[in-house]
């Protein structure tokens, strides 16, 4: 199927507006993707035609709200190839999803039990486990890294012990773009009876995910990185894995019966959706994923890989540049991080803004990885299918100007 | 407002001069502060005499704005006491919010173009906050 980035941009109102008014080369998609019309239209339709609280009312308006909300759950399940919509828990984002597991699963752990992480992790898949260590006395073990920041899976037997209870790693790095090799991790985890959680915040915007094929237990991601609304995310949990978890947050909607002495809890997913959920946002996310599922991903990923190669080639010839992460496109998302000798990432980003180029500079909520690379931060360009050659060329031109101005 | 306004030659020169960069052999006060936004890190040391700064030394891992602000403190900081340093920090914050620079610190005008870039205010303020903390550490000791 043919793919045109120009046609794709027409599905994103913000990009249309900027193209008309002033140049915007939006290359900060690893932070937030732009929101598509499908998501906005679905959320607006709910707010204007079906707005009511969910799972509470018996009037027709509330029933319409229920139906729209539960339909979104099915749409997310389809995008993830989940066995059932009941495996989809709506949260406020990846961070909330991971914290949910860190509390609900983590509080079942004993002192001395082990959780395997890596230095590649975003703080949202690092700090919750450090907090768990403080609460429960668990031990955190770190997978080693190769020089380019990819996970080094050659010595898994040194990391996984019989006390390992959970492996929590990123599906793809938000700094290097490297896609984790999941199969060996799942095999090693299964060998010691451990669960596997993937942080899918970056991977989910690059095409449908098959949680069944991955063979994992939990998958966490955010709506706003998947061209959907902010304020909503998902925790997918394999049916039995989710059912084994106690509640995390208590409140309305997550109970079966509340008594003065004893309260029983609803089955998943409601057990984990205390309080009024982000209804419009969930409906918007469902619509976004439904739309994304129908897109020509092979052609789109080939397009973004070509742009990433154009960027890598353009950067490689600039004096004083060092890559933070792999130099090649093997098993890698179109996310490229780099530094110029003597130029702080924030200063470079400030100059790039003048060129209409929106990129992120800093530690990218991955300070352990920055320490590993012995850098304070990096400039990161992250590419989405609506980007084109003009975006990459504007970035490269802006960088040349930044070097001239700041050195 | 473009980046040429922000990174004018005076600011680049101030950052490059790095007045006060280094460390003191026997500081009376010391503080380390990180910016959670960008990971910038400033260490400030002070030597005191009669309650006033006799010498300042700083180590900065940060952007040009942060380095220029630290350099400015290295240039004009000696002679201040803790109360004056606290007041200065507030004046710098007010300057970034649109006010006039305090008298005796004409170079603060170099930071005026930072005003519309609220996410960068912290870069300028970090050295001032760290200096206040360094003096505070001495007072508490």
């Amino acid at each position: 199927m043919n793919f045109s980035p120009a046609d794709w941009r027409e599905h994103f109102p913000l990009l249309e507006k900027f193209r008309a008014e002033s140049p915007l080369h939006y290359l900060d998609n690893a932070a937030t993707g732009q929101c598509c019309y499908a998501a906005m239209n679905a959320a607006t339709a709910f707010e204007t035609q079906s707005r009511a609280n969910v799972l509470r009312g018996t009037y027709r308006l509330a029933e319409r709200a229920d139906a729209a909300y539960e339909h979104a759950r099915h749409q997310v399940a389809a995008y993830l190839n989940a066995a059932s919509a009941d495996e989809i828990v709506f949260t406020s984002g990846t961070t909330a999803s991971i914290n949910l597991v860190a509390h609900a699963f983590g509080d079942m752990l004993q002192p001395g039990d082990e959780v395997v992480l890596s230095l590649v992790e975003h703080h949202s898949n690092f700090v919750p486990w450090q907090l768990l260590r403080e609460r429960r006395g668990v031990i955190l073990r770190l997978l080693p890294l190769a020089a380019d920041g990819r996970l080094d899976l050659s010595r898994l037997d040194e990391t996984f012990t019989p006390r390992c209870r959970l492996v929590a790693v990123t599906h793809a790095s938000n700094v290097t773009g490297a896609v984790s090799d999941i199969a060996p991790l799942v095999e090693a985890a299964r060998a010691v009876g451990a669960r596997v959680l993937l942080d899918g915040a970056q991977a989910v915007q690059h095409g449908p995910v098959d949680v069944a094929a991955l063979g994992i237990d939990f998958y966490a991601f955010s709506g706003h990185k998947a061209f959907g609304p902010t304020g909503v995310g998902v925790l997918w949990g394999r049916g039995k894995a989710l059912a084994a978890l106690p509640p995390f947050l208590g409140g309305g909607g997550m109970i079966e019966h509340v008594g003065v002495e004893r309260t029983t809890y609803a089955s998943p997913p409601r057990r984990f959706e205390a309080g009024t959920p982000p209804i419009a946002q969930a409906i918007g996310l469902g619509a976004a994923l439904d739309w994304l599922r129908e897109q020509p991903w092979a052609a789109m990923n080939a397009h973004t890989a070509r742009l990433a190669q154009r960027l890598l080639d353009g950067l490689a010839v600039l004096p004083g540049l060092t890559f933070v992460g792999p130099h090649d496109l093997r098993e890698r998302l179109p996310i490229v991080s780099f530094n110029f000798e003597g130029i702080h990432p924030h200063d470079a980003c400030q100059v790039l803004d003048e060129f209409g180029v929106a990129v992120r500079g800093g530690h990218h909520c991955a300070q352990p990885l920055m320490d590993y690379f012995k850098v304070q931060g990096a400039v990161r360009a992250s590419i989405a299918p609506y980007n084109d050659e003009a975006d990459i060329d504007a970035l490269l031109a802006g960088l040349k100007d930044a070097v001239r101005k700041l050195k | 407002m473009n980046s040429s306004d922000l990174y004018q030659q005076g600011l680049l020169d101030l950052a490059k001069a790095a007045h006060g960069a280094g460390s003191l052999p026997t500081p009376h006060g010391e503080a380390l502060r990180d910016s959670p936004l960008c990971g910038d890190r400033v260490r400030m040391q002070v030597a005191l005499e009669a309650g006033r700064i006799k010498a300042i030394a700083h180590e900065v891992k940060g952007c040009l704005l942060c380095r220029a602000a630290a350099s400015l403190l290295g240039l004009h900081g000696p002679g201040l006491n803790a109360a004056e340093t606290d007041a200065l920090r507030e004046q710098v914050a007010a300057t970034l919010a649109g006010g006039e620079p305090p008298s005796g610190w004409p170079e603060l005008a170099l930071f005026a173009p930072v005003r519309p870039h609220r996410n960068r205010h912290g870069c300028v303020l970090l050295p001032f906050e760290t200096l206040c903390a360094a003096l505070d550490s001495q007072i508490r000791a």
Side-chain angles (χ1 to χ4, degrees):
Chain A
M1 194 183 295
N2 288 333
F3 169 72
S4 156
D7 290 347
W8 224 62
R9 276 195 294 276
E10 292 178 5
H11 293 274
F12 296 86
L14 182 140
L15 297 177
E16 278 195 304
K17 169 182 157 60
F18 273 91
R19 287 273 164 166
E21 295 176 0
S22 61
L24 173 67
H25 304 284
Y26 187 78
L27 292 165
D28 196 18
N29 296 287
T32 289
Q34 292 303 327
C35 192
C36 62
Y37 272 118
M40 291 186 194
N41 291 344
T44 301
F46 166 76
E47 298 287 20
T48 55
Q49 298 165 34
S50 306
R51 182 180 166 102
N53 213 326
V54 289
L55 308 172
R56 285 155 175 79
T58 54
Y59 47 91
R60 281 169 292 173
L61 188 67
E63 286 177 350
R64 282 211 302 277
D66 282 353
Y69 184 62
E70 294 304 324
H71 180 59
R73 216 187 288 281
H74 281 86
Q75 290 170 313
V76 176
Y79 194 76
L80 297 180
N81 193 29
S84 162
D86 288 341
E87 295 182 337
I88 305 301
V89 178
F90 285 116
T91 67
S92 64
T94 309
T95 301
S97 298
I98 294 172
N99 274 274
L100 193 165
V101 177
H103 278 267
F105 183 81
D107 285 353
M108 298 192 296
L109 300 185
Q110 303 300 316
D113 284 346
E114 296 175 1
V115 175
V116 170
L117 311 172
S118 83
L119 288 177
V120 174
E121 306 310 317
H122 188 284
H123 293 167
S124 62
N125 195 32
F126 205 85
V127 180
W129 308 109
Q130 291 179 313
L131 292 169
L132 175 65
R133 178 171 62 187
E134 291 172 17
R135 287 199 310 276
R136 304 292 297 179
V138 302
I139 294 167
L140 304 183
R141 288 185 168 273
L142 296 174
L143 291 162
L145 300 185
D148 64 359
R150 293 181 188 276
L151 297 181
D152 176 1
L153 304 182
S154 63
R155 292 170 286 153
L156 287 179
D157 54 335
E158 295 175 14
T159 309
F160 286 79
T161 78
R163 293 299 300 270
C164 178
R165 298 290 178 264
L166 180 77
V167 185
V169 294
T170 190
H171 195 177
S173 165
N174 72 313
V175 175
T176 68
V179 177
S180 303
D181 187 3
I182 305 303
L185 289 170
V186 170
E187 186 181 341
R190 295 290 177 249
V192 295
R195 301 282 195 201
V196 180
L197 178 149
L198 283 192
D199 171 358
Q202 294 302 326
V204 76
Q205 63 166 286
H206 295 282
V209 174
D210 189 337
V211 291
L214 287 167
I216 56 174
D217 300 291
F218 302 106
Y219 196 86
F221 71 93
S222 298
H224 68 97
K225 292 194 204 292
F227 310 112
T230 58
V232 66
V234 167
L235 175 68
W236 168 81
R238 185 181 296 281
K240 285 184 179 175
L242 213 50
L245 299 185
F248 166 38
L249 297 176
M254 51 75 73
I255 55 90
E256 194 175 62
H257 175 78
V258 177
V260 174
E261 299 300 331
R262 182 169 178 269
T263 292
T264 55
Y265 307 109
S267 299
R270 287 174 54 199
R271 184 187 300 167
F272 306 107
E273 294 182 355
T276 298
I279 307 169
Q281 293 89 336
I283 289 166
L285 174 58
L289 296 184
D290 221 27
W291 175 68
L292 287 177
R293 202 156 58 90
E294 301 303 321
Q295 300 304 303
W297 281 103
M300 285 158 60
N301 287 334
H303 164 70
T304 55
R306 273 195 301 275
L307 295 184
Q309 188 63 62
R310 187 182 185 94
L311 176 58
L312 288 166
D313 292 345
L315 290 171
V317 298
L318 297 179
L321 182 131
T322 53
F323 288 109
V324 178
H327 300 190
D328 57 56
L329 285 180
R330 178 177 54 90
E331 296 301 316
R332 183 227 188 103
L333 298 179
I335 298 172
V336 180
S337 294
F338 54 89
N339 275 315
F340 282 98
E341 186 183 0
I343 297 180
H344 191 280
H346 271 188
D347 295 323
C349 292
Q350 195 82 55
V351 175
L352 287 168
D353 181 51
E354 201 178 314
F355 287 74
V357 176
V359 292
R360 175 71 70 87
H363 54 58
H364 307 291
C365 297
Q367 285 185 307
L369 182 62
M370 295 297 148
D371 290 343
Y372 175 79
F373 280 123
K374 295 184 172 57
V375 297
Q376 191 185 352
V379 180
R380 179 187 68 190
S382 46
I383 298 166
Y386 41 59
N387 290 123
D388 60 15
E389 286 78 3
D391 296 325
I392 304 302
D393 294 347
L395 169 59
L396 292 169
L399 286 171
K400 287 171 188 165
D401 192 61
V403 171
R404 185 180 59 77
K405 275 184 177 148
L406 301 173
K407 274 213 145 181
Chain B
M1 192 70 63
N2 62 37
S3 61
S4 297
D5 297 323
L6 202 61
Y7 298 109
Q8 54 195 289
Q9 195 58 47
L11 186 126
L12 298 179
D13 291 343
L14 187 59
K16 193 173 181 182
H19 301 291
S23 60
L24 299 175
T26 53
H28 297 112
E30 179 173 337
L32 180 70
R33 287 288 183 274
D34 292 306
S35 164
L37 178 69
C38 58
D40 283 0
R41 169 169 281 191
V42 175
R43 181 189 300 277
M44 279 278 177
Q45 296 179 322
V46 289
L48 302 171
E49 190 172 79
R52 292 189 176 275
I53 296 171
K54 184 181 176 189
I56 287 178
H58 56 76
E59 295 172 5
V60 179
K61 287 183 179 175
C63 64
L64 280 166
L65 302 178
C66 188
R67 285 158 45 205
S71 180
L72 186 58
L73 282 171
L75 191 63
H76 294 313
L80 295 173
N81 62 25
E84 289 164 348
T85 307
D86 284 342
L88 176 65
R89 176 187 56 187
E90 297 305 317
Q91 287 171 315
V92 173
T95 302
L96 290 170
E100 289 299 312
S103 60
W105 293 75
E107 294 90 344
L108 273 173
L110 293 169
F111 296 97
V114 184
R115 285 172 181 155
H117 305 286
R118 293 184 61 84
N119 281 346
R120 305 298 304 275
H121 289 190
C123 307
V124 181
L125 287 169
L126 188 62
F128 291 91
E129 290 167 353
T130 312
L131 180 61
C132 290
L135 285 160
D136 194 43
S137 75
Q138 189 277 331
I139 291 164
R140 288 173 196 276

